Amino acid sequence: MAKDDFCEMLSRSTPGPGDGGNTGSWRVLRPVLNAAACIPVKTGRMSCFQCWLYCPDCVVSKTIPPTIDYDYCKGCGICAEECPAGAIEMVPEAEAGPLAKEG
Ligand code: SF4
Ligand code: SF4
């Protein structure tokens, strides 16, 4: 079975980013990735990605390293709970500092 076929068999909903609406400024906690602790970064393999799998808003990318779309991340903390490496820390927005602007 090809890897992509296996991914199609997972019972994971795949709404597009933003189906739940832009988060705006109300997120209380921000998930911050420590890439040095992330399993795919450490191994160079497309493995793990529990953060991608369990994010209810589908805003974590399946890339090395994973990235989080903060425009739509709700700060629920599920990614941090599911990460087996403890690579995601939920940081209070007031302490996390400004987000880098893209583009
Ligand atoms: S905090 Fe919640 S919404 Fe944000 S990336 Fe993690 S699982 Fe997704
Ligand atoms: S769950 Fe944790 S270790 Fe796995 S890909 Fe996501 S951040 Fe990396």
Side-chain angles (χ1 to χ4, degrees):
M1 181 184 302
K3 185 174 61 179
D4 289 346
D5 293 340
F6 175 76
C7 290
E8 289 301 317
M9 292 173 63
L10 294 172
S11 58
R12 173 182 183 270
S13 62
T14 54
D19 284 11
N22 191 305
T23 303
S25 61
W26 56 260
R27 183 179 53 235
V28 177
L29 297 173
R30 184 190 306 173
V32 176
L33 174 72
N34 174 10
C38 175
I39 292 169
V41 174
K42 289 168 68 176
T43 63
R45 292 172 179 262
M46 294 293 286
S47 60
C48 187
F49 294 113
Q50 299 298 298
C51 49
W52 166 84
L53 179 63
Y54 284 104
C55 174
D57 284 280
C58 294
V59 296
V60 183
S61 69
K62 198 176 184 184
T63 55
I64 302 175
T67 61
I68 298 169
D69 185 341
Y70 290 115
D71 284 345
Y72 300 104
C73 164
K74 303 298 185 288
C76 65
I78 292 174
C79 54
E81 286 290 325
E82 295 296 336
C83 175
I88 300 176
E89 181 183 4
M90 299 305 293
V91 179
E93 279 291 339
E95 300 172 14
L99 287 166
K101 299 280 184 214
E102 294 183 359

